[in-house]
Amino acid sequence: MRVWYAPVLHLTDLQFDYPAPAGAVDGFRLAVPSLAVRGGESVAVIGPSGCGKTTLLRLAAGIITPRAGRVMIDETDLSTLGESARRSLRLARIGFVFQDFRLLDHLDVEENILLPFRLGGLRLDPAARDRAAGLLDRLGIAHLRRRSITRLSHGERQRTAICRALVTEPSMVLADEPTGNLDPANKRVILEALLDAARARNAAVLAVTHDHDLLDAFDRVVDLGEGLQRTDGAGRVTEAPS
C-alpha cells in the first residue's frame, strides 16, 4: 500500500477571474472550494478546453494570485508573500513543467536542467550534478547533455523540461501536459519516470493532461468540467462535487 503524507498543496475557497474581453458578455471564472494534494500523491487535472486547468497550476505556483481564497504550500500561505518571495519559493520548492517548455536556446541541455540552481541561488554541488546525470539517463537523453536546445525535437525538449523540474528535489511538481509532445510509445514510460522520481522524494504531483489513456497512472483525477469531481485513476468517482 502506498503511503501518503501531509498535504503539500492546499487550496481553500479559491476564486479567480479574467475580465470579459471586448464585446463579450461573460469573462472567465475559476472557483475551487477545496483541493489538497499530499506528499507522495499524484493528481491528474482534466476537463474541456477553457475550463481553467492551466490557470489552476499557475495559481498553485503563485505565478498569478487569486481574487479570494488561500494557496498553501506546506505551511506557507502564498498570500503573505510578495512577488520576489513567491519566485524564490517556486525555484526552491516547486518543479514546473511548462506546456511551452521555457527552455533557453543559448544554453545546452545540461545547463538548462541546472538553471534553477543558478536562478534561485541554490547550491550547485556534485550531488546536484549527479542528480541531473541520473535524470538524463532515466529519461533517455544522456547522449544529448551537451546539445543545443535549438537542435532538439519537441519530445527531447519535453524530456529536458521534466529533468529540470525534478533536479532540485522539489516538494511539489506542477506539470502542464507533461507528455503532450511525446509519441505514443514513450508517453507512459516518461510519465511513469516523472511520477516515480517524485514519489521517491515524497513530492506531490499535480498534472494537467488531455490524454485519458494515462489516467490510471495517477492516484486521483480531478475533473474541472464536472465541478471538481474526484475519481481514482480508473475513473471511479471517489467524492461528489463540492
Side-chain angles (χ1 to χ4, degrees):
M1 178 180 293
R2 185 171 300 144
V3 177
W4 292 328
Y5 297 85
V8 172
L9 173 69
H10 198 176
L11 312 180
T12 308
D13 297 325
L14 206 64
Q15 297 182 43
F16 180 83
D17 302 274
Y18 284 122
V25 176
D26 296 319
F28 169 82
R29 173 169 293 177
L30 176 66
V32 181
S34 179
L35 175 63
V37 186
R38 294 163 287 183
E41 183 184 23
S42 60
V43 176
V45 180
I46 63 173
S49 296
C51 71
K53 299 185 295 297
T54 295
T55 298
L56 179 64
L57 294 189
R58 289 166 60 83
L59 287 163
I63 296 172
I64 55 177
T65 57
R67 174 171 58 82
R70 291 201 310 172
V71 178
M72 299 286 295
I73 297 178
D74 295 321
E75 299 301 319
T76 302
D77 183 345
L78 295 193
S79 68
T80 67
L81 304 179
E83 185 175 346
S84 178
R86 292 198 306 273
R87 179 178 181 274
S88 295
L89 182 145
R90 280 196 298 274
L91 289 168
R93 293 159 64 184
I94 300 174
F96 209 126
V97 183
F98 294 93
Q99 193 169 8
D100 59 357
F101 313 129
R102 306 283 178 92
L103 302 173
L104 301 183
D105 288 350
H106 66 279
L107 300 179
D108 64 25
V109 168
E110 184 178 63
E111 289 170 333
N112 264 282
I113 291 170
L114 295 172
L115 188 61
F117 291 94
R118 304 188 190 283
L119 293 178
L122 306 175
R123 185 184 177 195
L124 183 53
D125 57 15
R129 293 187 179 278
D130 287 345
R131 284 198 300 276
L135 288 165
L136 281 161
D137 185 61
R138 179 68 186 272
L139 274 78
I141 55 173
H143 61 294
L144 302 175
R145 60 187 290 266
R146 291 301 182 195
R147 182 167 295 184
S148 168
I149 293 298
T150 61
R151 295 176 56 211
L152 298 183
S153 68
H154 281 288
E156 290 164 347
R157 291 182 183 221
Q158 189 86 343
R159 296 175 193 224
T160 301
I162 290 172
C163 289
R164 184 185 58 190
L166 294 170
V167 73
T168 59
E169 298 185 307
S171 59
M172 179 171 66
V173 176
L174 302 173
D176 196 354
E177 300 287 2
T179 61
N181 293 279
L182 299 172
D183 59 89
N186 283 311
K187 282 186 176 184
R188 184 168 292 273
V189 172
I190 298 305
L191 176 62
E192 290 181 350
L194 186 160
L195 297 180
D196 287 347
R199 287 167 182 152
R201 292 288 303 172
N202 298 324
V205 177
L206 185 66
V208 166
T209 183
H210 71 277
D211 196 335
H212 289 203
D213 290 338
L214 298 176
L215 295 183
D216 62 334
F218 292 88
D219 299 311
R220 193 155 47 100
V221 180
V222 169
D223 189 344
L224 286 188
E226 294 292 338
L228 288 183
Q229 184 180 74
R230 276 77 162 182
T231 68
D232 62 17
R236 294 181 292 265
V237 174
T238 60
E239 183 177 342
S242 301

